[in-house]
Structures are given as structure tokens and as C-alpha cells.
Amino acid sequence: MPESSAAAGSGRAAPGTPAPVTPFPAVGTSVPGSVGTSLQILRSLDSGPRGLVEAHAEERLARFGENVLPAWRPVPWPLRFVRSLRDPFTSVLLCLGLVSAVVSAWGTACVILALVAVSCLLRSTEEHRADRSTAALRELVATTATVVRRSSADAPPQEREVPVADLVPGDVIRLGPGDLVPADVQVLRAGGLTVHQSALTGESAPVAKHPLDAPDPALAGAGPFAQPQLCFQGSSVTSGSGTAVITATGGATRFAAAHDGRARQRGASAFDRSVQGISWTLIRFMLLTPPLVLMANAALRGRGLETLPFAVAVAVGLTPEMLPVIVTTALARGAARLARTSGVIVKRLPALHDLGAVDVLCLDKTGTLTEDRPVVEAAVDGSDLPDPGVLRWAALSALWTLQLAELPAPDALDEALLDSAEHPEDSAYEGVAALPFDPVRRVATAVLRRPGRLGVHTLVTKGAVEAVLERCALDGDERERLLALAARKAESGLRLLAVARADRPARHGAYTPADERGLTLVGLVALRDVPAPSAADALDVLARRGVTVKVLTGDHPGTAARACDDLGLRADAAGGYGEVVTAELVDTLSDAELARVADRATVFARCTPEHKARIVSALRAAGHTTGFLGDGVNDLPALHAADVGICPRSAVDVAREAADVVLAEKDLTAIDRAVVAGRHSSGNIATYLRITLSSNLGNVIAMLTAGLMLPFLPMLPAQVLVQNLCFDAAQLAFAFDRPGASVLRRPAVLRSRDFLRFITGFGLLNAAADLATFGVLALALHNAAGTDGEAAFHAGWFTENLLTQALVMVLLRTGRSAAERRAAGPLRAAAAGLAVVGVLLPLTPLGPLLGMSALPLLYYLLLGSVLGLYAVGLTAARRRYERRR
């Protein structure tokens, strides 16, 4: 259909066509409460069932823009720079710099503001680079849609996958189970189509959708979400399939209007919570430091506001202002390396740390612990006698459900049935309609036309035994007998499908789930799961890394238990796993009781999507950092509930969009590699925090003590800030270090109490080394006096501080063996550079400008003894700390 500018611009139908019941807005705008039929909507959009011509689609893309929500567009670099000031440490530094400027301490103010600028510059640059890398990686799993387009007006329509961003109003798209609805659409054709629209309405139950082929006055007063022909961006297809035309894209959708940028913001992750706890503890100390220094100097030395620059410099010395830069760089490098080597894509950088902190991994067993496709074990009738006809009926149902429901991919059970049956595709049976499987009904139905049975349609239903038997015409005793038979088979670890059928008078109307009643049971098909080849080894590796695996499945308890037993996953209660927990038991437990049960149980059976999400939430409430691996629509609530949502690249669109981490394949080995990468990055961040904070605290304690003991300031404000700048430059190497093997053996958790204990102990040890330097300086400078003595003292302490910091960087790399500590690396190079600067800077022309002078040889000899004793003390303390851990 040629595109006319009048129709596209005004939204009015072409002359001679019926007018819509309500005026349709211009192309690209939302359709509030529209009750136009499919034909009217297509005409108002100047489109048709065969889709747009490519050239017209390109014109509309240029006119209306990409189908991207405004709040999700990349953040410009200048804005990212300004946002860097919101970091707590950066904000405190900025305030201290402004205070210094107010009291005319211009040197201190300039150095502090330079630190702020450098920190913001590095952080915004790294975040911008990380976002560009992540955007490039996300292209590998970018959500696409199946669109119908034509190369020219006379060409036949063709289906192809295009990025969601390239969709335009008037495009005709296909929808299948698990697809995200990529824009606001009107349904043109549907087969059992149901969608979740809870993101817009809050409704948890799927809503049925179907086309409107004739005006319906009853819908005139209904709201847009009650319109059965309308689907909206933010919804996801639960079951069935359909064809729809796009009516609004990008910022014109209802989702964009109802959800601003806050809709995409997540709650604080485990990483965010831990870093914030440490940050605010330090900020309180920083804010207390200046007034304490001022009061102490005023009381003991009679000094006034002239010590304010020194007090501010001391507070700056306590600040790990490079923390945002180190965190961003370490996580970005880890994510890039993981994508390059393992094909694992981290969509949200903090999720990489959360991966390293995961101590409970929840997953379904199918496709992860077992092969994606089970194997048919037997087919029996209701009397438990072998019956090949049962398998044939099941395969016919699978064949025509797959062909008629337009599923994006065949179900694993259907494939197993088709593989085991004897050529069901050669059957003379003809498919009429299909009601695909969904997790609510737990059955699938195919409607067939049998040869020689004119005027009769046969419904063949297969699915969960309980669900099928509910739809069969059986008395209570017979139903109980069949349930007991199924239970005995399931207890042996077999997966069961019940098959039933019924004849109905042929009709032209659509079939619905209401027709699945009064069926006759054909029999049962038993299938068994085949363990995945790599599952047992991967489970063993995860256990050694401190990750507990919990299985959340919709299968029968016996089936789940057998699969886990085959892999050695289950054990007795003494082993910490307990018995299989069923969904029925979960429903009877309070949140607190469920948290206790979930903590000790390993296998949860008969789980619905809501059960999975509740179990994951209970584990989080119990203090665990949880990961959830899922790939289907029914896994969506649990993916949102977990600290880290994980899915394979083959997952449905809605699961890929919700997940934080996308694997190249559904494999536990890939998860182990991702966990290792997360612990590498987290180990570097934790090492930076421990070393930096303990060194900073020791220096601050020593400076405060010396300031009260000496008749002059132990270091000038500019010297403190230059020393801090040298520390910062060297500490960038932490983002490029390779942590030791011990870091990979346990979840990487940043605990505030553990950090405070560490930095207090090692900080006091560092302060002792600094104070011991007083004695060294007293011996070496006993003949010096006046300003020469002060300048020499400043130089001596400046040198000692940088040398002790270099020692700490090398000796406190947590968990490194002696051989690993001797290995070359960026951290050792940075420490060596820091030591060289500490020794040579006072001897250069820059030394006198900073108030420092050359030192006698005796000082360096005595300082060597102090550093040797300090190294011995550090090594002994580190070993004691590691033994206690």
C-alpha cells in the first residue's frame, strides 16, 4: 500500500474508507481507548497486513526517531562528569576545598580542587568507556523483533529480525511466547495470545488478547488496558502467538509516559550496600577530624585558625578519593575480559561484584543439571500396560501445537515425543487449531481433523498429570487410582505427561481453554532426564568456591530428587541439604519460616513462578547474596528478585532484558567463570580498600600525635596533599592486579566490621612505624635547628611515609603466596615508583619549593632499620590475620 503524507500526518483514513469509531491520532502517538477495528487502524497508519515497504520504514525512522525510551539514552560525558561530584568522598573533598578557599588557604584549596577534578575526570572517563564497551557487548544480545516488510510495493512480504530500536509506527510484527512487546501495538491476529502487563497495571495474572474485527460498542467506555486488541510496551507474551501492527514507539508509548528514568533504577545491590556502609563510616571520621585537630592545637599549643589548612589536609589524607575510579576500572576490565574470553556479557557493572559475592545459586534443573531434551522411557495406558498409541497421540499433539501455535522454538518435551514416535508427520491427521502450553493451565491442546470423520474435530490434550485428569470425565475413585499410579512412577524419578482426547462437532469459531473439558484419558508417557555431561564437575567446583546450589523446579519431587541424586547434589540432613520441599509446604510458611527452610533445603519442587521469586527473596532476607539462572517467561519474577539475574543468550527476550548477566550458553561452567571474574574484580577492590585505608589511618594518627608533640606542624598542608596525590597515582595499579588463588575460594563480601577491624589493626602498626621515625629523625638531625631542622624533618617524614606505603602495597596483597608476591606485576611497579619518588623528590629542585631539604646519610641507614622491622611486623600480622579468617 503506498504511503500518503496526508494519512500519515493527519491519521485520517483515505477517501472512501470507513471512518474509525474514534479519531485515530497521528502516526507515532499512543492510542488511548481506541476501539478501531484492525482494518481501520491499518488504514489510519497507512499500512497493511503485508507490512511496510523498506523505504517507507526508513523515512518514518528518520521522522519519528528510534524506538528507545528517552530515559535510557546514553549519558553525555559532560553530564557524567558533573554527576561524579555526587560521590560521597568527592563531595566531602569539594567541601573541604571550598572551606580552605574561604579562609584564604589558596595552596591547600588548589591542590584539593585539583584532586577533585582529577578524580571526576578519571571516573567519568572510565564510566563513559565502560558504557561504550557495555553497549557494544549488549549488541550481541540486543532485543530484536520479527517484522514483516517488503523490499518494494510489489514485492512479497518477508519476515526478518530487526533491532527493536529500528521499529516504526505501521510496522507489522510477530509475537511469540517470551517476547517483549516492543512498542504499543494493536493485535491483527492471535492464537491463544496472553500477555503480562503488570509493569503498567500491577495485575499479576496474564491477560488474553485477540483482534477486533468489528466495532464493539461495549468497549467504548473501557480503559486502554481493558481493550483486548491493544498491547503495550513493557508487557511480555506469556503464551500463544499473534501478529500486530505498531501504533506508537519511543517516547510516545504509554510505558514512556507512565515511567520516567526512575522506573529502570534498581534497588541498592549487595555491592552498593557494602561500599556505602564503609564510605559513610569513613566520612564521619573525616568530618570529625578538622574540629578535633583545631581544638587539640588550640588547647595544647595555643594555635588558632592557622592550623585549619593542616586539619583539612589531614582529613583529605584519610579519604580514599580514588575509590570510584578503582571500582569502575576494575569492574569494567573484568566485564570486558569475561566477554572476550567466555562470551559472558555483564549488562550492569556492579553485578560483576555481586557475582563474586554470590553464595547461593538458584536454578532449574532442565538444561542446566540435565540435558535440554529428556528421553521417552515408556508409554502406558490407564492400567499401566504398554500402549504405543499413547505415544502416537502425544506426538500428534506436539506436532500440530508446534506448527499451528507459531512457537519461537519447540518445547523440549515436544521434541522428545517427536523423536520417539514413528513418523507422526506422515499421519493423515490435519491440524485445525492449537492452544499452546502455559504455566498457569499446565496443558497444551491440539485440535485435529481425523481421516474419515467429517464434521468431527478431535481435541488432544497433554500436560501435567493433575491438570489433565482435572479435565477428564472421571469419578473420584478412578481419578485417585490414576494419581496414585502417576505418583508411584514419579517417585522413581520419571517425568510424566498425561494424554487425553475428546471428539467435538466441527466448528469455525476459535477454540479456548474452556473446551478442555470432558476428556477421555488415553494414557501416560514417562520420560527421564539425562544428566548434563559437565554438571557434576561444575557443581563440585562451585561447592569448593563456597557457592551452594539450590534447585527450584516445577517438576515432581521424585523427578527432581532423582536428577539431583544422580549428580551427587543431595545429601542427608547432616550434610546440610535436607529433604525435597514442595510448593504446598512453601504456601503454609511465613516469610521468616521460609527463610529458615530455604537456608537448609536444596531442592524445591512443584514451584510456580511466584514460588521461585518468594524463595529467592527469602534467601536474600536471610543474608545470602543470591544468583538466579533462568531462561523462560516463568523465571521472570525470580530474575527480578535475585541479587544477580542470569540467563543464557538463547533465553526468551523478556528474560534477557531482565537479566544482569547473559551467558553464551546455559552451562554451570560458564557461571563458574563469571563467578571467578567477579571475585577477581572484587578482590582488587577489597585489597585497595584494606591497604589504602590502613595506611591513611596510620598516617593520620601519626600526624595528629606529632602535631601535639612538636612545636611546629609535622608536615605542611601542601606536603600532605602532594603525598596523597602520589598515593593516588600508585593506587591506580590495584585495578590491574591479579589477586591470589585464596581470593577465589570464598564469596567476595565487603563487610564493614571486618574492614574496620583490619584498618584499625594495621593502621596502628603503620602509626607505630611513623612514630618510630621520630626517634630516627631526632638522632639524624640532632645538630639541625630552626627552619633547616623543620625542612629536614618534613623531608624525612615525607620519604618514610611513601616508603611505608610502598611496603604495604607489596606485603598486604591478601592471600598471596611467597612465590606470587615475588612475581612481577603492575602493583610491584607502582610500589617501586612510589619508593623512588619518596627518596628523590626532596633532593630535586621541587623539594625546597615544598618546604623540604636534603637529609644526611645517617637518616637513610636508620630508616632502613625501621622499615625492616616494619616489614617483619607486617608479615607476621598478615599471617595471623589470614589464619584467623
Side-chain angles (χ1 to χ4, degrees):
M1 179 185 297
E3 180 180 340
S4 67
S5 58
S10 66
R12 288 189 291 271
T17 61
V21 177
T22 59
F24 198 86
V27 174
T29 59
S30 193
V31 194
S34 170
V35 290
T37 65
S38 300
L39 179 60
Q40 291 168 345
I41 296 301
L42 285 170
R43 285 177 173 172
S44 68
L45 289 166
D46 203 6
S47 183
R50 299 196 304 155
L52 295 175
V53 176
E54 288 286 356
H56 296 163
E58 292 176 2
E59 292 173 5
R60 295 191 182 191
L61 183 62
R63 190 193 321 168
F64 299 113
E66 291 186 334
N67 181 32
V68 179
L69 293 187
W72 300 357
R73 298 185 185 277
V75 179
W77 186 89
L79 179 58
R80 195 181 296 280
F81 181 88
V82 174
R83 287 183 178 179
S84 300
L85 294 172
R86 297 186 301 181
D87 176 76
F89 289 122
T90 306
S91 300
V92 171
L93 278 178
L94 182 61
C95 292
L96 293 175
L98 295 176
V99 169
S100 300
V102 168
V103 298
S104 300
W106 299 111
T108 303
C110 289
V111 175
I112 292 176
L113 294 178
L115 285 172
V116 170
V118 169
S119 177
C120 290
L121 179 65
L122 289 173
R123 181 180 185 182
S124 55
T125 300
E126 286 296 336
E127 286 185 349
H128 186 66
R129 185 180 302 161
D131 276 2
R132 288 197 310 177
S133 299
T134 303
L137 295 174
R138 286 177 67 125
E139 291 297 324
L140 300 175
V141 291
T143 303
T144 60
T146 303
V147 67
V148 179
R149 286 183 182 170
R150 295 168 289 156
S151 58
S152 65
D154 299 327
Q158 292 184 339
E159 294 183 9
R160 64 186 184 89
E161 293 289 316
V162 301
V164 165
D166 293 345
L167 296 177
V168 296
D171 262 331
V172 175
I173 61 172
R174 308 290 194 204
L175 297 173
D179 287 348
L180 290 170
V181 178
D184 289 355
V185 303
Q186 173 144 340
V187 177
L188 304 177
R189 185 166 60 86
L193 181 66
T194 62
V195 301
H196 265 301
Q197 51 188 29
S198 58
L200 292 157
T201 65
E203 298 176 284
S204 59
V207 179
K209 298 291 182 179
H210 57 78
L212 188 68
D213 296 324
D216 186 353
L219 297 175
F225 300 113
Q227 301 285 339
Q229 78 278 19
L230 300 181
C231 299
F232 301 94
Q233 186 179 44
S235 306
S236 57
V237 179
T238 305
S239 62
S241 60
T243 301
V245 61
I246 293 178
T247 59
T249 60
T253 62
R254 284 192 170 271
F255 189 80
H259 296 256
D260 58 17
R262 292 186 296 272
R264 292 271 298 179
Q265 293 179 1
R266 302 172 61 100
S269 66
F271 175 67
D272 297 330
R273 293 192 298 271
S274 58
V275 170
Q276 288 171 7
I278 295 169
S279 299
W280 286 110
T281 300
L282 292 171
I283 287 172
R284 294 186 185 98
F285 280 116
M286 289 168 54
L287 295 177
L288 284 174
T289 299
L292 287 176
V293 172
L294 288 174
M295 289 187 294
N297 276 277
L300 299 178
R301 291 290 177 183
R303 298 168 183 155
L305 285 177
E306 67 270 15
T307 60
L308 180 59
F310 174 71
V312 170
V314 171
V316 172
L318 187 61
T319 309
E321 63 270 7
M322 297 302 291
L323 178 61
V325 180
I326 297 294
V327 167
T328 303
T329 305
L331 295 180
R333 291 188 72 251
R337 183 170 57 248
L338 193 57
R340 185 174 61 254
T341 60
S342 304
V344 176
I345 298 171
V346 180
K347 295 166 56 181
R348 183 177 58 89
L349 279 185
L352 185 60
H353 170 272
D354 293 340
L355 264 176
V358 163
D359 60 345
V360 174
L361 176 63
C362 301
L363 45 83
D364 196 348
K365 65 178 181 60
T366 305
T368 309
L369 302 180
T370 61
E371 295 281 8
D372 274 326
R373 188 183 304 181
V375 176
V376 173
E377 182 85 357
V380 298
D381 61 15
S383 300
D384 199 18
L385 298 174
D387 185 352
V390 176
L391 180 58
R392 182 170 182 79
W393 280 112
L396 284 169
S397 175
L399 174 68
W400 289 109
T401 300
L402 177 62
Q403 293 192 11
L404 297 177
E406 297 182 0
L407 300 176
D411 181 82
L413 293 177
D414 287 344
E415 286 190 322
L417 295 172
L418 293 173
D419 285 347
S420 300
E422 295 181 0
H423 308 294
E425 65 276 7
D426 296 337
S427 170
Y429 290 78
E430 181 183 353
V432 175
L435 300 175
F437 178 88
D438 71 64
V440 178
R441 291 165 46 243
R442 301 179 66 198
V443 298
T445 296
V447 182
L448 311 178
R449 185 179 293 113
R450 300 167 65 182
R453 299 291 302 273
L454 295 177
V456 176
H457 287 168
T458 300
L459 279 70
V460 184
T461 299
K462 62 175 173 43
V465 175
E466 299 89 339
V468 172
L469 292 181
E470 285 177 1
R471 292 162 170 78
C472 290
L474 298 170
D475 58 39
D477 292 341
E478 181 64 8
R479 181 176 284 106
E480 290 301 321
R481 184 189 69 81
L482 291 169
L483 287 173
L485 171 63
R488 288 195 301 272
K489 289 185 172 296
E491 287 297 334
S492 65
L494 296 174
R495 303 175 66 179
L496 293 177
L497 285 176
V499 185
R501 64 184 179 90
D503 291 334
R504 299 279 192 268
R507 71 187 194 209
H508 295 292
Y511 284 88
T512 69
D515 294 305
E516 299 168 336
R517 293 289 183 269
L519 307 177
T520 301
L521 181 71
V522 177
L524 304 175
V525 178
L527 306 99
R528 60 181 175 85
D529 290 316
V530 179
S534 62
D537 292 338
L539 286 172
D540 184 56
V541 171
L542 287 172
R544 291 200 303 270
R545 298 201 193 283
V547 178
T548 301
V549 173
K550 296 184 182 293
V551 179
L552 280 54
T553 179
D555 287 341
H556 187 280
T559 306
R562 176 173 175 175
C564 294
D565 281 338
D566 290 344
L567 295 168
L569 184 58
R570 292 190 62 221
D572 56 22
Y577 294 104
E579 298 299 323
V580 174
V581 176
T582 61
E584 290 78 9
L585 175 60
V586 171
D587 289 333
T588 65
L589 300 175
S590 66
D591 290 343
E593 292 170 335
L594 179 59
R596 291 192 293 270
V597 170
D599 197 37
R600 66 174 183 268
T602 296
V603 184
F604 297 82
R606 296 297 193 201
C607 290
T608 64
E610 290 72 24
H611 288 123
K612 294 180 180 181
R614 190 173 171 223
I615 293 166
V616 171
S617 298
L619 289 166
R620 289 188 68 189
H624 295 287
T625 301
T626 59
F628 183 85
L629 173 63
D631 60 357
V633 177
N634 59 329
D635 295 321
L636 189 61
L639 286 169
H640 282 299
D643 287 291
V644 186
I646 310 168
C647 77
R649 195 177 299 178
S650 59
V652 297
D653 288 349
V654 66
R656 287 206 310 270
E657 185 64 26
D660 301 304
V661 178
V662 180
L663 308 176
E665 54 189 11
K666 194 175 182 181
D667 182 13
L668 285 180
T669 304
I671 294 182
D672 175 63
R673 291 194 293 268
V675 168
V676 168
R679 293 185 184 180
H680 268 286
S681 297
S682 300
N684 287 342
I685 295 169
T687 302
Y688 161 77
L689 282 171
R690 289 191 178 96
I691 292 177
T692 300
L693 296 180
S694 59
S695 298
N696 289 358
L697 180 63
N699 290 335
V700 166
I701 292 173
M703 279 192 285
L704 293 177
T705 305
L708 300 177
M709 294 172 57
L710 297 173
F712 55 86
L713 293 177
M715 291 187 75
L716 299 178
Q719 295 165 357
V720 176
L721 296 173
V722 169
Q723 170 187 277
N724 206 45
L725 191 59
C726 293
F727 287 171
D728 292 342
Q731 288 160 358
L732 281 173
F734 284 109
F736 301 90
D737 192 26
R738 292 180 59 84
S742 63
V743 174
L744 309 180
R745 287 198 288 266
R746 55 181 177 269
V749 181
L750 302 175
R751 294 187 176 90
S752 299
R753 183 173 300 179
D754 178 61
F755 268 84
L756 292 176
R757 188 183 303 116
F758 183 96
I759 66 175
T760 301
F762 285 92
L764 291 174
L765 186 60
N766 184 277
D770 287 346
L771 294 174
T773 307
F774 283 174
V776 170
L777 289 168
L779 287 174
L781 306 175
H782 66 280
N783 291 325
T787 56
D788 291 340
E790 290 182 23
F793 184 93
H794 293 155
W797 205 358
F798 181 88
T799 297
E800 184 268 347
N801 277 337
L802 265 62
L803 291 175
T804 54
Q805 174 77 4
L807 271 178
V808 167
M809 290 177 66
V810 173
L811 296 180
L812 286 192
R813 297 163 75 188
T814 306
R816 307 289 284 196
S817 67
E820 288 172 319
R821 284 194 297 275
R822 287 193 298 270
L827 205 58
R828 289 178 61 83
L834 188 63
V836 169
V837 171
V839 172
L840 298 182
L841 184 61
L843 306 178
T844 66
L846 189 59
L849 294 177
L850 293 173
M852 295 185 289
S853 63
L855 291 159
L857 180 60
L858 177 61
Y859 168 74
Y860 293 106
L861 296 176
L862 294 174
L863 180 60
S865 301
V866 172
L867 294 178
L869 292 174
Y870 180 52
V872 172
L874 272 180
T875 302
R878 178 183 57 79
R879 288 175 178 171
R880 181 172 181 272
Y881 173 79
E882 290 178 355
R883 284 197 301 268
R884 291 183 61 183
R885 293 189 71 187

